[in-house]
Amino acid sequence: MRISVALSPSLAAKWLIPSLSEIAETNPEIDLQIITAQAPDQSDAEFILHLGAPPSTTGRKVDLLCEAPLVAVAGPTLIARAPVIARESFFAQYILIEDASRPWAKWLSESGTTFQSHQVAQTALALDAAEAGTGIALVPAIMAKDALAAGRLVKLKEFPPEPGHGLYLIRPANTPASAARRIVEDWIRSAV
């Protein structure tokens, strides 16, 4: 049975795709259709994963799966060890990599710290640049989890999530839950 899941390209590349083999091996009868879009909540997919502020939806069920704290990360070749307390002045020494949401600008502008940044269109590109040693990226922790576990990135600082920001699961409110849909939903929830 075909089940569609819509999400952003970065969330697909850095979080969902690395764990696809798990569901494929245990449930070969399920054919997952992964739909990537910058605005996945506009999709008519059976499941939509939305990372950010609470989505505004009508006629759909919305569940917060987890909060979305941000982490400052760098490749181990750039920074072997972070200071115990990484202050704004520490980060200003490096090139800061920002995606379209501009998280560095939000944080550092509050303190008046000036900084040099490279801007990329997607969080996945910010993570790739950080892994390559280009600079320090500030990204949702859920997207950096695999690279941190594998030692490809070093966590320098964690920032609390903005109120309401998180990973949301969106699905039609009145669609009967088939066995395949329940399996996919359980798998998504367990992957968080």
Side-chain angles (χ1 to χ4, degrees):
M1 174 170 203
R2 177 171 276 195
I3 303 289
S4 58
V5 179
L7 66 168
S8 72
S10 290
L11 189 58
K14 299 299 181 181
W15 179 72
L16 185 72
I17 299 295
S19 60
L20 275 181
S21 62
E22 178 185 316
I23 194 166
E25 290 170 6
T26 57
N27 299 283
E29 74 283 1
I30 296 175
D31 177 16
L32 279 181
Q33 178 186 19
I34 308 300
I35 303 165
T36 59
Q38 291 298 14
D41 40 327
Q42 305 301 315
S43 168
D44 61 353
E46 289 150 293
F47 294 102
I48 299 168
L49 292 164
H50 170 87
L51 184 61
S56 56
T57 60
T58 305
R60 294 180 177 185
K61 289 182 183 178
V62 178
D63 291 331
L64 175 64
L65 298 177
C66 66
E67 292 185 322
L70 297 177
V71 290
V73 295
T77 59
L78 180 67
I79 300 174
R81 191 165 119 8
V84 174
I85 299 174
R87 301 190 192 310
E88 291 90 341
S89 58
F90 168 79
F91 293 106
Q93 301 173 60
Y94 297 92
I95 293 172
L96 304 179
I97 304 160
E98 294 200 283
D99 64 14
S101 66
R102 309 243 11 241
W104 283 118
K106 291 175 190 170
W107 182 58
L108 291 174
S109 66
E110 292 173 4
S111 68
T113 304
T114 57
F115 64 96
Q116 179 185 3
S117 70
H118 291 327
Q119 293 182 11
V120 295
Q122 297 178 1
T123 306
L125 298 174
L127 283 161
D128 289 346
E131 280 189 45
T134 302
I136 303 171
L138 184 56
V139 298
I142 194 168
M143 295 175 72
K145 182 174 68 170
D146 287 347
L148 287 167
R152 296 188 313 269
L153 289 173
V154 175
K155 179 167 71 170
L156 306 173
K157 184 176 177 83
E158 185 166 330
F159 296 81
E162 291 184 42
H165 279 239
L167 178 61
Y168 289 88
L169 176 63
I170 305 167
R171 60 209 182 285
N174 299 318
T175 302
S178 68
R181 283 193 183 103
R182 281 193 297 277
I183 289 168
V184 171
E185 183 173 343
D186 290 346
W187 170 71
I188 289 170
R189 289 178 184 279
S190 71
V192 173

